[in-house]
Amino acid sequence: MSGRVVFRSVWLPWLLVAPQLAITAVFFLWPAGEAILQSTQLPDPFGLSTQYVGWENFDYLFGDRYYRASFLTTAIFSLSVTALSMGVSLLLAVLADGVIRGSGVYRTLLIWPYAVAPAISGVMWLFIFQPSIGLFPYWLKAIGYNWNHVLNSGEAMSLVVIASAWKQVSYNFLFFLAGLQAIPRSLIEAAAIDGASPWHRFRTIILPLLSPTTFFLLVINVVYAFFETFGVIHTITAGGPGQSTMIMVYKVYADGFIGQDLGSSAAQSVILMLIVGVLTIVQFRFIERRVHY
Amino acid sequence: MATVTLENVRKRYGKTEVIHGVDVDINDGELIVIVGPSGCGKSTLLRMVAGLEVVTSGDISINGRVVNHVEPKDRDIAMVFQTYALYPHMSVFENMAYGLKIARLDKDEIHRRVDDAARLLALSELLDRRPKALSGGQRQRVAMGRAIVRQPSVFLFDEPLSNLDALLRVQMRLEIKQLQRRLGITSLYVTHDQVEAMTLADRLVVMNAGVAEQVDEPLSVYQRPASRFVASFIGSPGMNFIEGSIKGRQLVTSAGHTILLRDAQLNEGPVTAGVRPEHLEVVAESDADFLLDVVSVELLGAETLLHGTLTGASNDEGDVVAGVAGRSLAVRAAGITRVGEGQRCGLRVAAGGWHWFDKQSGQRLLTE
Ligand SMILES: Nc1ncnc2c1ncn2[C@@H]1O[C@H](COP(=O)(O)OP(=O)(O)OP(=O)(O)O)[C@@H](O)[C@H]1O
Ligand SMILES: [Mg+2]
């Protein structure tokens, strides 16, 4: 027995996957091809003519101090967002897993943020942390701390990390909760009889058994932090102050559409594509191998 | 070295009570089997002893100490789960050593104990494997090994053999019994399989709907079932029951048939009579206590099973008989008995073969 469905017609399978292929072609392959093409060209500021420049856009990028800084910013940002959103959601999932009565309510409430568009969540966090009218800086001032993410780059980074992680917590929570509930109760009970404390059970039984879920979420969260946080950055800091929250995906936009350097912007897109491709391959090849038992 | 005592133990989930006051005294080194149909509360009872369920009322004591509020790990027990509950991400060795490492035993001692248990259970070759790479019987043995290495005072088993095939079940049953004898550890063993229960138990606890109907040695349970439920549950094929009333030295059935009673001294009046299929003997009609119209015959080689109705009664409006095959009476004759379907045969009840139960409560009526 094989799990494959056998189609009698040659055309039907193609027809069935055609919509997906069309979407991939129009929204990924075509723009990606266009980006690769543009990355080797240099348009004039009015976009009237272009000139083939080969690797020059890339050479220029790697010589650019700001672009190298953006690498580091992206790494810090992605790691922080992933760690924060996964840590918080795992904690919430563990707590929700223990709740029997009213668990549906908690679950619904915790899932809500996922339905909020990134730009809207960005604006919401912006309001809460706005240095002059925000609630949070007001509280902080009461305990003697002066919050101003418009001027302080560390605070700006914290804010975009929190806002980005907040949105992803719901998604992670759902998967962690499902993962937790898939662990047979008898395993936990056996460990309890074996004398393991709750924390020891969590560390030696639950966490290892959750690792396939954790791995999956790791990939998803890193990709999210790389690409889908554009809206949050755009509404809260626009890459500032200075270049302190200029993650790579935002720099693509800033250099291309604000700086009007389309060639460099395209080259950055190509680099970004390569990075995510490599990251995903690395994660699947090296981490996935360890999580299966 | 441990005794376990259950005193009027009750369990309620919300408003529904599922265990209605169970009393059992378990002696040191005894193997007690809790047996009963699905949903009667066997697992619940065992899990209360393990500390995995809260006791609603009553007391559970281990070695004279009430443990109602003691954590599972501090009860000095080990449990073998129906699903084995092996840690899938650990090797066989790690599975068995898990509890010992937590108890902070030194490395040599851990290795010694695990190796001993592995030898005892023929697992020595498999210590590096993951549970996924083991057969059902091997997993079962690992689960046993994990319980043994901790050297607990009490073993708890929740249907440990129910996921194995029939042949392996018989083999593991013997192994468990020998192991328990050798280690001499007080054990509670839950099963719904009456053969397993009969062969393993020093004493049986027969449960029905949250009540321990009888606590006794297997043979006593078979010979003097305390209630109609126990009588029907223990023995295979199950006991035949006939509704009727006693008139002198006769049992008059609900449809008006008469059955000759040879040795009963019972008060006149309505009663439920019970007789096991193996205590009915096929005899000549002149010697018979009553006659049977044979409906079907099952030739099994070593024995023959006859099913029939009391002569003259049709199945629909006849006697109230409850037997193995619904409303017919079963007879178990040794060897090959040449009675054809549709024939009539005489039956005689062996001495002491009758059991009498109260018609309403189903409790055993004392005859002696
Ligand atoms: N958490 C619970 N909440 C409510 N009722 C429960 C709960 N757990 C068990 N019960 C009920 O308690 C009764 C006894 O359950 P238990 O699991 O002890 O049965 P069992 O004798 O072990 O049956 P089986 O042979 O099928 O394992 C059942 O009627 C069951 O529905
Ligand atoms: Mg059960």
PDB file of all heavy atoms in Angstrom, chain B residues 332-361:
ATOM      1  N   ARG B 332     -22.103 -27.828  29.634  1.00  0.00           N
ATOM      2  CA  ARG B 332     -20.737 -28.091  29.209  1.00  0.00           C
ATOM      3  C   ARG B 332     -20.410 -29.524  29.592  1.00  0.00           C
ATOM      4  O   ARG B 332     -20.255 -29.841  30.767  1.00  0.00           O
ATOM      5  CB  ARG B 332     -19.824 -27.122  29.926  1.00  0.00           C
ATOM      6  CG  ARG B 332     -18.376 -27.230  29.569  1.00  0.00           C
ATOM      7  CD  ARG B 332     -17.661 -26.157  30.353  1.00  0.00           C
ATOM      8  NE  ARG B 332     -16.270 -26.094  30.073  1.00  0.00           N
ATOM      9  CZ  ARG B 332     -15.465 -25.207  30.630  1.00  0.00           C
ATOM     10  NH1 ARG B 332     -15.959 -24.331  31.485  1.00  0.00           N
ATOM     11  NH2 ARG B 332     -14.187 -25.202  30.353  1.00  0.00           N
ATOM     12  N   ALA B 333     -20.322 -30.367  28.577  1.00  0.00           N
ATOM     13  CA  ALA B 333     -20.064 -31.776  28.832  1.00  0.00           C
ATOM     14  C   ALA B 333     -18.636 -32.103  28.420  1.00  0.00           C
ATOM     15  O   ALA B 333     -18.153 -31.619  27.398  1.00  0.00           O
ATOM     16  CB  ALA B 333     -21.043 -32.639  28.040  1.00  0.00           C
ATOM     17  N   ALA B 334     -17.955 -32.906  29.237  1.00  0.00           N
ATOM     18  CA  ALA B 334     -16.585 -33.262  28.912  1.00  0.00           C
ATOM     19  C   ALA B 334     -16.567 -34.149  27.679  1.00  0.00           C
ATOM     20  O   ALA B 334     -17.501 -34.916  27.427  1.00  0.00           O
ATOM     21  CB  ALA B 334     -15.937 -33.978  30.088  1.00  0.00           C
ATOM     22  N   GLY B 335     -15.497 -34.054  26.903  1.00  0.00           N
ATOM     23  CA  GLY B 335     -15.324 -34.915  25.744  1.00  0.00           C
ATOM     24  C   GLY B 335     -16.368 -34.655  24.677  1.00  0.00           C
ATOM     25  O   GLY B 335     -16.913 -33.562  24.553  1.00  0.00           O
ATOM     26  N   ILE B 336     -16.636 -35.678  23.890  1.00  0.00           N
ATOM     27  CA  ILE B 336     -17.573 -35.533  22.782  1.00  0.00           C
ATOM     28  C   ILE B 336     -18.884 -36.186  23.153  1.00  0.00           C
ATOM     29  O   ILE B 336     -18.937 -37.370  23.475  1.00  0.00           O
ATOM     30  CB  ILE B 336     -16.989 -36.167  21.501  1.00  0.00           C
ATOM     31  CG1 ILE B 336     -15.726 -35.384  21.088  1.00  0.00           C
ATOM     32  CG2 ILE B 336     -18.010 -36.198  20.382  1.00  0.00           C
ATOM     33  CD1 ILE B 336     -14.866 -36.075  20.082  1.00  0.00           C
ATOM     34  N   THR B 337     -19.927 -35.396  23.186  1.00  0.00           N
ATOM     35  CA  THR B 337     -21.246 -35.911  23.534  1.00  0.00           C
ATOM     36  C   THR B 337     -22.111 -35.939  22.283  1.00  0.00           C
ATOM     37  O   THR B 337     -22.259 -34.927  21.613  1.00  0.00           O
ATOM     38  CB  THR B 337     -21.910 -35.018  24.599  1.00  0.00           C
ATOM     39  OG1 THR B 337     -21.015 -34.916  25.704  1.00  0.00           O
ATOM     40  CG2 THR B 337     -23.223 -35.607  25.057  1.00  0.00           C
ATOM     41  N   ARG B 338     -22.644 -37.107  21.976  1.00  0.00           N
ATOM     42  CA  ARG B 338     -23.401 -37.247  20.730  1.00  0.00           C
ATOM     43  C   ARG B 338     -24.867 -36.925  20.956  1.00  0.00           C
ATOM     44  O   ARG B 338     -25.693 -37.822  21.062  1.00  0.00           O
ATOM     45  CB  ARG B 338     -23.247 -38.676  20.190  1.00  0.00           C
ATOM     46  CG  ARG B 338     -21.839 -39.003  19.748  1.00  0.00           C
ATOM     47  CD  ARG B 338     -21.597 -38.513  18.327  1.00  0.00           C
ATOM     48  NE  ARG B 338     -20.180 -38.646  17.990  1.00  0.00           N
ATOM     49  CZ  ARG B 338     -19.564 -37.821  17.141  1.00  0.00           C
ATOM     50  NH1 ARG B 338     -20.231 -36.829  16.573  1.00  0.00           N
ATOM     51  NH2 ARG B 338     -18.303 -37.998  16.859  1.00  0.00           N
ATOM     52  N   VAL B 339     -25.150 -35.656  21.106  1.00  0.00           N
ATOM     53  CA  VAL B 339     -26.555 -35.248  21.150  1.00  0.00           C
ATOM     54  C   VAL B 339     -26.772 -34.346  19.946  1.00  0.00           C
ATOM     55  O   VAL B 339     -26.018 -33.409  19.727  1.00  0.00           O
ATOM     56  CB  VAL B 339     -26.886 -34.474  22.441  1.00  0.00           C
ATOM     57  CG1 VAL B 339     -28.359 -34.088  22.461  1.00  0.00           C
ATOM     58  CG2 VAL B 339     -26.546 -35.315  23.659  1.00  0.00           C
ATOM     59  N   GLY B 340     -27.787 -34.644  19.132  1.00  0.00           N
ATOM     60  CA  GLY B 340     -28.010 -33.869  17.923  1.00  0.00           C
ATOM     61  C   GLY B 340     -28.857 -32.646  18.188  1.00  0.00           C
ATOM     62  O   GLY B 340     -29.577 -32.578  19.196  1.00  0.00           O
ATOM     63  N   GLU B 341     -28.756 -31.677  17.304  1.00  0.00           N
ATOM     64  CA  GLU B 341     -29.603 -30.500  17.421  1.00  0.00           C
ATOM     65  C   GLU B 341     -31.048 -30.909  17.217  1.00  0.00           C
ATOM     66  O   GLU B 341     -31.351 -31.750  16.367  1.00  0.00           O
ATOM     67  CB  GLU B 341     -29.179 -29.454  16.382  1.00  0.00           C
ATOM     68  CG  GLU B 341     -27.829 -28.863  16.741  1.00  0.00           C
ATOM     69  CD  GLU B 341     -27.302 -27.890  15.699  1.00  0.00           C
ATOM     70  OE1 GLU B 341     -28.020 -27.598  14.734  1.00  0.00           O
ATOM     71  OE2 GLU B 341     -26.155 -27.436  15.872  1.00  0.00           O
ATOM     72  N   GLY B 342     -31.948 -30.350  17.999  1.00  0.00           N
ATOM     73  CA  GLY B 342     -33.364 -30.708  17.900  1.00  0.00           C
ATOM     74  C   GLY B 342     -33.737 -31.893  18.766  1.00  0.00           C
ATOM     75  O   GLY B 342     -34.906 -32.190  18.951  1.00  0.00           O
ATOM     76  N   GLN B 343     -32.745 -32.586  19.318  1.00  0.00           N
ATOM     77  CA  GLN B 343     -33.045 -33.728  20.185  1.00  0.00           C
ATOM     78  C   GLN B 343     -33.364 -33.272  21.600  1.00  0.00           C
ATOM     79  O   GLN B 343     -33.145 -32.123  21.961  1.00  0.00           O
ATOM     80  CB  GLN B 343     -31.856 -34.687  20.223  1.00  0.00           C
ATOM     81  CG  GLN B 343     -31.761 -35.565  18.989  1.00  0.00           C
ATOM     82  CD  GLN B 343     -30.600 -36.549  19.105  1.00  0.00           C
ATOM     83  OE1 GLN B 343     -29.848 -36.531  20.073  1.00  0.00           O
ATOM     84  NE2 GLN B 343     -30.484 -37.406  18.096  1.00  0.00           N
ATOM     85  N   ARG B 344     -33.856 -34.193  22.375  1.00  0.00           N
ATOM     86  CA  ARG B 344     -34.150 -33.913  23.773  1.00  0.00           C
ATOM     87  C   ARG B 344     -33.189 -34.715  24.634  1.00  0.00           C
ATOM     88  O   ARG B 344     -32.857 -35.845  24.293  1.00  0.00           O
ATOM     89  CB  ARG B 344     -35.593 -34.337  24.069  1.00  0.00           C
ATOM     90  CG  ARG B 344     -35.991 -34.237  25.511  1.00  0.00           C
ATOM     91  CD  ARG B 344     -37.479 -34.488  25.658  1.00  0.00           C
ATOM     92  NE  ARG B 344     -38.231 -33.469  24.926  1.00  0.00           N
ATOM     93  CZ  ARG B 344     -39.573 -33.431  24.900  1.00  0.00           C
ATOM     94  NH1 ARG B 344     -40.278 -34.351  25.522  1.00  0.00           N
ATOM     95  NH2 ARG B 344     -40.196 -32.489  24.246  1.00  0.00           N
ATOM     96  N   CYS B 345     -32.689 -34.115  25.718  1.00  0.00           N
ATOM     97  CA  CYS B 345     -31.829 -34.900  26.582  1.00  0.00           C
ATOM     98  C   CYS B 345     -32.136 -34.619  28.043  1.00  0.00           C
ATOM     99  O   CYS B 345     -32.686 -33.570  28.392  1.00  0.00           O
ATOM    100  CB  CYS B 345     -30.355 -34.650  26.272  1.00  0.00           C
ATOM    101  SG  CYS B 345     -29.784 -33.053  26.768  1.00  0.00           S
ATOM    102  N   GLY B 346     -31.797 -35.581  28.878  1.00  0.00           N
ATOM    103  CA  GLY B 346     -32.006 -35.419  30.303  1.00  0.00           C
ATOM    104  C   GLY B 346     -30.789 -34.777  30.944  1.00  0.00           C
ATOM    105  O   GLY B 346     -29.665 -35.006  30.537  1.00  0.00           O
ATOM    106  N   LEU B 347     -31.013 -33.910  31.949  1.00  0.00           N
ATOM    107  CA  LEU B 347     -29.902 -33.251  32.625  1.00  0.00           C
ATOM    108  C   LEU B 347     -30.012 -33.461  34.120  1.00  0.00           C
ATOM    109  O   LEU B 347     -31.107 -33.492  34.684  1.00  0.00           O
ATOM    110  CB  LEU B 347     -29.921 -31.744  32.334  1.00  0.00           C
ATOM    111  CG  LEU B 347     -29.555 -31.323  30.910  1.00  0.00           C
ATOM    112  CD1 LEU B 347     -29.664 -29.823  30.782  1.00  0.00           C
ATOM    113  CD2 LEU B 347     -28.158 -31.802  30.543  1.00  0.00           C
ATOM    114  N   ARG B 348     -28.857 -33.618  34.737  1.00  0.00           N
ATOM    115  CA  ARG B 348     -28.819 -33.796  36.164  1.00  0.00           C
ATOM    116  C   ARG B 348     -27.804 -32.809  36.737  1.00  0.00           C
ATOM    117  O   ARG B 348     -26.731 -32.617  36.172  1.00  0.00           O
ATOM    118  CB  ARG B 348     -28.387 -35.238  36.456  1.00  0.00           C
ATOM    119  CG  ARG B 348     -28.444 -35.595  37.891  1.00  0.00           C
ATOM    120  CD  ARG B 348     -28.038 -37.065  38.000  1.00  0.00           C
ATOM    121  NE  ARG B 348     -27.918 -37.413  39.385  1.00  0.00           N
ATOM    122  CZ  ARG B 348     -28.513 -38.477  39.922  1.00  0.00           C
ATOM    123  NH1 ARG B 348     -29.229 -39.304  39.181  1.00  0.00           N
ATOM    124  NH2 ARG B 348     -28.365 -38.723  41.204  1.00  0.00           N
ATOM    125  N   VAL B 349     -28.176 -32.184  37.837  1.00  0.00           N
ATOM    126  CA  VAL B 349     -27.295 -31.184  38.441  1.00  0.00           C
ATOM    127  C   VAL B 349     -26.364 -31.877  39.419  1.00  0.00           C
ATOM    128  O   VAL B 349     -26.813 -32.671  40.251  1.00  0.00           O
ATOM    129  CB  VAL B 349     -28.128 -30.103  39.160  1.00  0.00           C
ATOM    130  CG1 VAL B 349     -27.209 -29.094  39.852  1.00  0.00           C
ATOM    131  CG2 VAL B 349     -29.044 -29.404  38.162  1.00  0.00           C
ATOM    132  N   ALA B 350     -25.064 -31.580  39.310  1.00  0.00           N
ATOM    133  CA  ALA B 350     -24.083 -32.197  40.204  1.00  0.00           C
ATOM    134  C   ALA B 350     -24.362 -31.794  41.645  1.00  0.00           C
ATOM    135  O   ALA B 350     -24.956 -30.740  41.900  1.00  0.00           O
ATOM    136  CB  ALA B 350     -22.674 -31.769  39.800  1.00  0.00           C
ATOM    137  N   ALA B 351     -23.899 -32.624  42.578  1.00  0.00           N
ATOM    138  CA  ALA B 351     -24.117 -32.324  43.989  1.00  0.00           C
ATOM    139  C   ALA B 351     -23.486 -30.979  44.332  1.00  0.00           C
ATOM    140  O   ALA B 351     -22.349 -30.705  43.960  1.00  0.00           O
ATOM    141  CB  ALA B 351     -23.501 -33.422  44.847  1.00  0.00           C
ATOM    142  N   GLY B 352     -24.221 -30.132  44.992  1.00  0.00           N
ATOM    143  CA  GLY B 352     -23.709 -28.802  45.347  1.00  0.00           C
ATOM    144  C   GLY B 352     -23.648 -27.864  44.173  1.00  0.00           C
ATOM    145  O   GLY B 352     -23.019 -26.806  44.248  1.00  0.00           O
ATOM    146  N   GLY B 353     -24.281 -28.244  43.060  1.00  0.00           N
ATOM    147  CA  GLY B 353     -24.204 -27.441  41.845  1.00  0.00           C
ATOM    148  C   GLY B 353     -25.106 -26.228  41.845  1.00  0.00           C
ATOM    149  O   GLY B 353     -24.888 -25.296  41.082  1.00  0.00           O
ATOM    150  N   TRP B 354     -26.138 -26.259  42.658  1.00  0.00           N
ATOM    151  CA  TRP B 354     -27.073 -25.122  42.652  1.00  0.00           C
ATOM    152  C   TRP B 354     -26.545 -23.965  43.478  1.00  0.00           C
ATOM    153  O   TRP B 354     -25.936 -24.145  44.519  1.00  0.00           O
ATOM    154  CB  TRP B 354     -28.432 -25.536  43.234  1.00  0.00           C
ATOM    155  CG  TRP B 354     -29.276 -26.370  42.309  1.00  0.00           C
ATOM    156  CD1 TRP B 354     -29.607 -27.680  42.481  1.00  0.00           C
ATOM    157  CD2 TRP B 354     -29.908 -25.939  41.108  1.00  0.00           C
ATOM    158  NE1 TRP B 354     -30.397 -28.119  41.446  1.00  0.00           N
ATOM    159  CE2 TRP B 354     -30.595 -27.058  40.585  1.00  0.00           C
ATOM    160  CE3 TRP B 354     -29.964 -24.730  40.401  1.00  0.00           C
ATOM    161  CZ2 TRP B 354     -31.337 -27.005  39.404  1.00  0.00           C
ATOM    162  CZ3 TRP B 354     -30.695 -24.678  39.222  1.00  0.00           C
ATOM    163  CH2 TRP B 354     -31.368 -25.808  38.736  1.00  0.00           C
ATOM    164  N   HIS B 355     -26.783 -22.740  42.946  1.00  0.00           N
ATOM    165  CA  HIS B 355     -26.532 -21.517  43.717  1.00  0.00           C
ATOM    166  C   HIS B 355     -27.856 -20.784  43.797  1.00  0.00           C
ATOM    167  O   HIS B 355     -28.616 -20.760  42.834  1.00  0.00           O
ATOM    168  CB  HIS B 355     -25.509 -20.621  43.011  1.00  0.00           C
ATOM    169  CG  HIS B 355     -24.196 -21.290  42.770  1.00  0.00           C
ATOM    170  ND1 HIS B 355     -23.126 -21.158  43.608  1.00  0.00           N
ATOM    171  CD2 HIS B 355     -23.792 -22.118  41.769  1.00  0.00           C
ATOM    172  CE1 HIS B 355     -22.105 -21.856  43.143  1.00  0.00           C
ATOM    173  NE2 HIS B 355     -22.479 -22.461  42.029  1.00  0.00           N
ATOM    174  N   TRP B 356     -28.127 -20.215  44.958  1.00  0.00           N
ATOM    175  CA  TRP B 356     -29.408 -19.530  45.131  1.00  0.00           C
ATOM    176  C   TRP B 356     -29.194 -18.067  45.423  1.00  0.00           C
ATOM    177  O   TRP B 356     -28.366 -17.698  46.261  1.00  0.00           O
ATOM    178  CB  TRP B 356     -30.208 -20.183  46.269  1.00  0.00           C
ATOM    179  CG  TRP B 356     -30.366 -21.656  46.057  1.00  0.00           C
ATOM    180  CD1 TRP B 356     -29.682 -22.646  46.675  1.00  0.00           C
ATOM    181  CD2 TRP B 356     -31.255 -22.287  45.139  1.00  0.00           C
ATOM    182  NE1 TRP B 356     -30.067 -23.873  46.212  1.00  0.00           N
ATOM    183  CE2 TRP B 356     -31.045 -23.679  45.255  1.00  0.00           C
ATOM    184  CE3 TRP B 356     -32.209 -21.829  44.217  1.00  0.00           C
ATOM    185  CZ2 TRP B 356     -31.745 -24.613  44.511  1.00  0.00           C
ATOM    186  CZ3 TRP B 356     -32.908 -22.752  43.472  1.00  0.00           C
ATOM    187  CH2 TRP B 356     -32.681 -24.136  43.615  1.00  0.00           C
ATOM    188  N   PHE B 357     -29.959 -17.239  44.701  1.00  0.00           N
ATOM    189  CA  PHE B 357     -29.815 -15.791  44.889  1.00  0.00           C
ATOM    190  C   PHE B 357     -31.170 -15.166  45.152  1.00  0.00           C
ATOM    191  O   PHE B 357     -32.197 -15.615  44.621  1.00  0.00           O
ATOM    192  CB  PHE B 357     -29.186 -15.148  43.650  1.00  0.00           C
ATOM    193  CG  PHE B 357     -27.849 -15.735  43.304  1.00  0.00           C
ATOM    194  CD1 PHE B 357     -27.738 -16.681  42.288  1.00  0.00           C
ATOM    195  CD2 PHE B 357     -26.703 -15.368  44.007  1.00  0.00           C
ATOM    196  CE1 PHE B 357     -26.517 -17.237  41.971  1.00  0.00           C
ATOM    197  CE2 PHE B 357     -25.477 -15.919  43.697  1.00  0.00           C
ATOM    198  CZ  PHE B 357     -25.373 -16.862  42.673  1.00  0.00           C
ATOM    199  N   ASP B 358     -31.132 -14.130  45.980  1.00  0.00           N
ATOM    200  CA  ASP B 358     -32.355 -13.386  46.245  1.00  0.00           C
ATOM    201  C   ASP B 358     -32.849 -12.768  44.940  1.00  0.00           C
ATOM    202  O   ASP B 358     -32.077 -12.204  44.171  1.00  0.00           O
ATOM    203  CB  ASP B 358     -32.074 -12.290  47.273  1.00  0.00           C
ATOM    204  CG  ASP B 358     -33.337 -11.593  47.705  1.00  0.00           C
ATOM    205  OD1 ASP B 358     -33.776 -10.659  46.994  1.00  0.00           O
ATOM    206  OD2 ASP B 358     -33.889 -12.007  48.725  1.00  0.00           O
ATOM    207  N   LYS B 359     -34.156 -12.912  44.709  1.00  0.00           N
ATOM    208  CA  LYS B 359     -34.701 -12.476  43.438  1.00  0.00           C
ATOM    209  C   LYS B 359     -34.535 -10.966  43.235  1.00  0.00           C
ATOM    210  O   LYS B 359     -34.242 -10.506  42.137  1.00  0.00           O
ATOM    211  CB  LYS B 359     -36.185 -12.837  43.366  1.00  0.00           C
ATOM    212  CG  LYS B 359     -36.673 -13.005  41.954  1.00  0.00           C
ATOM    213  CD  LYS B 359     -37.991 -13.724  41.935  1.00  0.00           C
ATOM    214  CE  LYS B 359     -38.458 -13.914  40.510  1.00  0.00           C
ATOM    215  NZ  LYS B 359     -39.455 -14.956  40.397  1.00  0.00           N
ATOM    216  N   GLN B 360     -34.743 -10.203  44.337  1.00  0.00           N
ATOM    217  CA  GLN B 360     -34.649  -8.750  44.213  1.00  0.00           C
ATOM    218  C   GLN B 360     -33.193  -8.267  44.251  1.00  0.00           C
ATOM    219  O   GLN B 360     -32.707  -7.640  43.332  1.00  0.00           O
ATOM    220  CB  GLN B 360     -35.437  -8.062  45.340  1.00  0.00           C
ATOM    221  CG  GLN B 360     -36.808  -7.586  44.908  1.00  0.00           C
ATOM    222  CD  GLN B 360     -37.806  -8.745  44.896  1.00  0.00           C
ATOM    223  OE1 GLN B 360     -37.891  -9.494  45.869  1.00  0.00           O
ATOM    224  NE2 GLN B 360     -38.544  -8.874  43.806  1.00  0.00           N
ATOM    225  N   SER B 361     -32.497  -8.569  45.328  1.00  0.00           N
ATOM    226  CA  SER B 361     -31.179  -7.965  45.542  1.00  0.00           C
ATOM    227  C   SER B 361     -30.072  -8.691  44.794  1.00  0.00           C
ATOM    228  O   SER B 361     -29.007  -8.128  44.567  1.00  0.00           O
ATOM    229  CB  SER B 361     -30.855  -7.962  47.035  1.00  0.00           C
ATOM    230  OG  SER B 361     -30.649  -9.291  47.486  1.00  0.00           O
TER     231      SER B 361
END
